[in-house]
């Protein structure tokens, strides 16, 4: 099968003894980091705490043998957890058996979709979300996740998947917050933020090596969690509660076909977001070692990880940026580090249930909030505004829709905004009036350069492919430019930026030629690319323009310097 081709891990065939120490240390460090994360993300998804453990074990094993990222750490993530909760809350009550069954199937469905896209080599699906839209989606989602954790931080029980719902719930329970829980949560949050800001510098000042200081700061969440155990028991703050820790059982509950159909669209968008996030992490880590990442291979690996997560009792997973970076910085040389992490998590799930049940919820909430504050990237809005106003509008629209409607509806809105922005831009292409730079064969925009022109000749360059979405606008723009250039007898359409044309564009060119001829103007085409020329030849349009097609703009310039040869 194509999915299993080259399944044998490359790292295992040429493993070196000197890599072992780094892989072992990285595996232990990531295990310590993953313990609180897996529990917190499961609770954020509305699932039992042990679901986070199951979602952290099997995917690590699968990716170690199928994936290619040397330090990629696949498992539950905050955004994925929020997407899971937003999707499943429409169909079942959080914590119910139906809710858990739907979570398993959601992971399997998203995994199957990733597998199908990988087999079909559709790695380009990651381009469905533009960078501004993805940044806005991530920022708004981080805000929603932070808001969702204000409840556990203060000892409240809030529900909802959008900003209005959480604000309403917070206002209704404002007087019910628990001082002890809020105090412990805020203290933990302040300590985590302070350590992130000044921890490394302080530890280095105290004499700790740079590498050791960095690792100690990044494992601070689990150390803080352990330190808070006696305080949480004394102050009687809310805790995780019973953790039904056991060996993951590979089984799937039965659900109806209609319910599967309900999950199909959410599963696709969760798969899309997970893939974009996982691929970006893999590419970031690969760039550090001057390596490349095969997007289609990542699709297959992530698809298998999600199918396995569902079968093992977990929920959708993806490559986590923070864990993967910690994995790499801790010395991971190969995916053996992930196998060590998986083994540590497996032992914890089997024999550490009593300890996990006592972990305080306010501290878990503080860990999530501290890790997500860096994802709120308002600076990307300013960059988008400076680069392209349409990108800034797309950023604001996506962010607003996610906050108001929730992340599940926000994903669909983000894709639609990305595609709409693309269509809007291409439907209004830039058209430049060209002239020749004196003494050269270079042609530039008259508005930007000092250029010379031929009397009675208007040269226009269309900076976009021609298709049904912009054919009418291009025709109108060309005629408008012609109307402004009095005395024009020859009009040259420079097509150096036209990579393709469709049937509508061909009809537009033929109609434009006839319209200009009626006005006493001859339409010429220059710098037609090979694929476009082939289409003109097959459809017979090249015959209509016989004698008026030029290899280059300079060739058109030279030919039109003899206007007597081109009388209509």
């Amino acid at each position: 099968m194509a999915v299993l081709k080259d399944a044998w891990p490359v790292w295992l065939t040429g493993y070196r003894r000197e890599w072992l120490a780094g892989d072992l240390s990285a595996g232990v460090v990531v295990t310590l980091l993953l313990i609180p994360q897996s529990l917190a993300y499961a609770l954020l998804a509305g699932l039992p705490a042990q679901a986070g453990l199951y979602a952290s074990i099997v995917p690590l094993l699968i990716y170690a043998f199928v994936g290619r990222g040397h330090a990629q750490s696949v498992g539950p993530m905050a955004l994925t957890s929020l997407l899971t909760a937003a999707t499943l809350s429409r169909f079942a009550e959080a914590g119910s058996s139906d809710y858990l069954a739907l979570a398993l199937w959601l992971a399997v469905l998203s995994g199957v979709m990733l597998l199908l896209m990988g087999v079909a080599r559709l790695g380009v699906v990651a381009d469905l979300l533009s960078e501004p839209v993805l940044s806005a989606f991530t920022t708004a989602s981080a805000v929603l996740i932070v808001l969702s954790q204000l409840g556990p931080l203060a000892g409240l029980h809030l529900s909802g998947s959008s900003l209005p719902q959480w604000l309403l719930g917070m206002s209704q329970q404002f007087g019910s917050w628990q001082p002890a829980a809020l105090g412990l949560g805020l203290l933990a949050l302040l300590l985590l933020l302070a350590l992130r800001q000044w921890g490394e510098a302080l530890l280095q000042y105290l004499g700790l090596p740079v590498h050791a200081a960095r690792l100690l700061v990044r494992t601070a969440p689990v150390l803080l969690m352990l330190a808070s155990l006696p305080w949480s028991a004394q102050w009687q703050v809310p805790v995780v509660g019973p953790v039904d820790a056991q060996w993951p059982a590979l089984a799937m509950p039965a659900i109806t076909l209609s319910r599967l159909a309900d999950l199909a669209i959410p599963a696709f968008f969760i798969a899309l977001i997970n893939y974009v996030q996982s691929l970006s992490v893999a590419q970031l880590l690969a760039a550090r070692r001057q390596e490349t990442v095969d997007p289609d291979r990542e699709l297959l690996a992530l698809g298998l990880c999600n199918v396995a997560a569902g079968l093992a009792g977990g929920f959708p997973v993806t490559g986590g940026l923070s864990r993967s970076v910690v994995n790499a910085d801790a010395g991971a040389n190969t995916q053996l580090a992930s196998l060590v992490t998986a083994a540590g998590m497996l032992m914890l799930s089997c024999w550490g249930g009593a300890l996990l049940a006592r972990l305080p919820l306010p501290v878990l909430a503080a860990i999530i909030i501290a890790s997500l504050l860096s994802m709120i990237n308002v600076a990307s809005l300013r960059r988008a505004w400076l680069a392209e106003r349409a990108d800034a509008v797309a950023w604001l629209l996506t962010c607003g829709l996610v906050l108001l409607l929730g992340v599940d509806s926000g994903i669909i809105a983000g894709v639609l905004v990305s595609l709409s922005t693309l269509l809007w831009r291409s439907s209004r292409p830039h058209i430049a009036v060209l002239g020749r730079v004196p003494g050269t064969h270079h042609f530039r925009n008259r508005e930007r350069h000092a250029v010379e022109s031929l009397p009675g000749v208007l040269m226009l360059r269309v900076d976009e492919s021609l298709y049904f979405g912009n054919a009418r606008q291009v025709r109108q723009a060309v005629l408008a430019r012609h109307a402004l250039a009095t005395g024009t007898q020859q009009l040259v359409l420079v097509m150096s930026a036209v990579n393709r044309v469709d049937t509508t564009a061909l009809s537009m060119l033929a109609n434009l030629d006839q319209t200009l001829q009626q006005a006493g103007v001859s339409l010429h085409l220059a710098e037609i690319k090979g694929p476009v020329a082939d289409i003109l030849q097959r459809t017979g349009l090249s015959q209509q323009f016989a004698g008026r097609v030029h290899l280059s703009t300079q060739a058109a310039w030279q030919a039109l310097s003899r206007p007597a040869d081109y009388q209509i």
Side-chain angles (χ1 to χ4, degrees):
M1 292 177 60
V3 176
L4 298 179
K5 184 179 179 181
D6 299 328
W8 185 255
V10 176
W11 60 266
L12 193 56
T13 57
Y15 196 84
R16 301 178 184 176
R17 181 180 299 178
E18 58 266 26
W19 292 347
L20 183 60
D23 286 338
L24 291 176
S25 63
V28 173
V29 169
V30 175
T31 300
L32 296 176
L33 180 64
L34 189 53
I35 291 171
Q37 283 188 352
S38 61
L39 301 175
Y41 294 152
L43 297 175
L44 177 60
L47 295 166
Q50 61 267 19
L53 299 176
Y54 300 152
S56 304
I57 298 172
V58 183
L60 287 171
L61 296 172
I62 296 296
Y63 190 86
F65 288 94
V66 182
R68 291 292 184 262
H70 75 283
Q72 180 79 295
S73 180
V74 178
M77 286 298 297
L79 180 54
T80 303
S81 301
L82 187 61
L83 288 169
T84 300
T87 299
L88 302 184
S89 60
R90 302 200 305 264
F91 307 117
E93 183 179 353
S96 65
S97 58
D98 289 341
Y99 191 96
L100 177 58
L102 292 175
L104 307 186
W105 277 105
L106 187 64
V108 170
L109 279 178
S110 62
V112 170
M113 290 177 181
L114 289 168
L115 284 173
L116 293 176
M117 288 189 288
V119 172
R121 297 187 178 277
L122 295 178
V124 294
V125 72
D127 299 330
L128 285 176
L129 289 171
S130 65
E131 194 278 333
V133 167
L134 184 60
S135 175
F137 177 81
T138 303
T139 296
S141 300
V143 171
L144 290 180
I145 296 171
V146 169
L147 289 175
S148 72
Q149 293 307 296
L150 294 181
L153 191 74
L156 303 177
H157 298 281
L158 302 178
S159 61
S161 57
S162 65
L163 179 59
Q165 292 173 343
W166 274 318
L167 291 179
L168 178 62
M170 184 66 74
S171 64
Q172 291 175 342
Q173 300 186 43
F174 182 75
S176 303
W177 56 277
Q178 302 179 29
L182 182 60
L184 181 61
L186 289 178
L187 178 61
L189 179 60
L190 291 175
L191 286 174
L192 287 171
L193 294 178
L195 285 172
R196 177 169 296 183
Q197 183 70 26
W198 303 293
E200 287 188 28
L202 178 61
L203 291 174
Q204 292 176 38
Y205 176 78
L206 295 176
L208 212 61
V210 175
H211 186 68
R214 182 177 297 118
L215 290 181
L216 188 59
V217 168
R218 289 179 174 173
T219 55
V222 72
L223 300 178
L224 182 62
M225 183 70 67
L226 295 175
S228 67
L229 286 175
W231 294 97
S232 63
Q234 182 178 351
W235 292 352
Q236 297 181 345
V237 302
V239 295
V240 171
V243 177
D244 186 16
Q246 55 185 331
W247 288 81
L250 300 180
M252 290 296 294
I255 63 172
T256 63
L257 290 178
S258 61
R259 191 58 79 201
L260 277 179
D262 291 335
L263 294 177
I265 294 179
F268 170 75
F269 285 107
I270 288 176
L272 174 63
I273 291 296
N274 283 347
Y275 172 58
V276 171
Q277 181 171 325
S278 183
L279 181 63
S280 63
V281 173
Q283 290 173 333
L284 172 66
L285 297 176
R288 292 184 173 185
R289 309 200 330 176
Q290 288 78 49
E291 298 174 348
T292 58
V293 175
D294 181 359
D296 298 317
R297 182 73 185 197
E298 287 301 304
L299 273 172
L300 294 175
L302 190 60
L304 287 174
C305 288
N306 275 276
V307 171
L311 293 175
F315 52 98
V317 296
T318 186
L321 176 61
S322 60
R323 286 198 309 271
S324 298
V325 171
V326 169
N327 197 25
D329 290 347
N333 296 298
T334 69
Q335 280 292 343
L336 178 62
S338 291
L339 295 180
V340 174
T341 300
M345 295 299 294
L346 182 60
M347 290 187 292
L348 181 68
S349 67
C350 293
W351 298 296
L355 175 63
L356 298 178
R358 297 165 47 205
L359 297 180
L361 290 179
V363 179
L364 284 175
I367 291 173
I368 294 180
I369 294 174
S371 65
L372 288 175
L373 288 178
S374 60
M375 291 175 57
I376 301 177
N377 183 16
V378 183
S380 61
L381 172 60
R382 181 178 181 274
R383 186 169 62 253
W385 181 263
L386 295 175
E388 176 63 57
R389 299 295 169 83
D391 282 341
V393 172
W395 196 102
L396 290 170
L397 187 58
T398 302
C399 185
L401 289 173
V402 172
L403 290 175
L404 294 176
L405 303 179
V407 289
D408 50 346
S409 300
I411 295 178
I412 301 175
V415 173
L416 293 178
V417 169
S418 292
L419 297 179
S420 299
T421 303
L422 175 63
L423 291 175
W424 187 86
R425 288 173 177 166
S426 63
S427 68
R428 292 163 175 78
H430 176 258
I431 298 179
V433 180
L434 301 184
R436 188 174 72 170
V437 179
T440 71
H441 292 174
H442 300 294
F443 292 81
R444 294 293 183 268
N445 191 334
R446 284 186 186 179
E447 297 180 359
R448 297 177 178 272
H449 302 273
V451 295
E452 58 185 1
S453 304
L454 284 175
V457 177
L458 177 62
M459 291 186 166
L460 300 177
R461 187 189 67 221
V462 181
D463 294 336
E464 182 62 70
S465 293
L466 300 177
Y467 72 110
F468 68 92
N470 62 16
R472 182 174 61 86
Q473 287 82 359
V474 169
R475 181 180 184 277
Q476 292 177 345
V478 170
L479 293 177
R481 295 295 179 92
H482 163 255
L484 293 175
T486 57
T488 299
Q489 297 178 341
Q490 315 288 342
L491 193 152
V492 181
L493 202 60
V494 179
M495 302 176 65
S496 56
V498 178
N499 297 315
R500 65 179 181 85
V501 293
D502 66 0
T503 305
T504 304
L506 293 175
S507 299
M508 181 273 292
L509 290 174
N511 180 270
L512 179 63
D513 182 37
Q514 295 172 1
T515 301
L516 290 173
Q517 284 190 31
Q518 294 173 1
V521 178
S522 179
L523 178 62
H524 300 257
L525 304 179
E527 297 197 30
I528 300 176
K529 293 186 176 181
V532 176
D534 293 341
I535 295 175
L536 297 181
Q537 183 67 35
R538 290 198 302 267
T539 58
L541 192 60
S542 59
Q543 297 176 3
Q544 179 177 333
F545 284 90
R548 291 179 289 149
V549 177
H550 307 277
L551 182 63
S552 65
T553 309
Q554 173 64 19
W557 175 280
Q558 292 176 339
L560 295 178
S561 298
R562 304 184 300 275
D565 297 338
Y566 289 93
Q567 297 297 326
I568 297 177

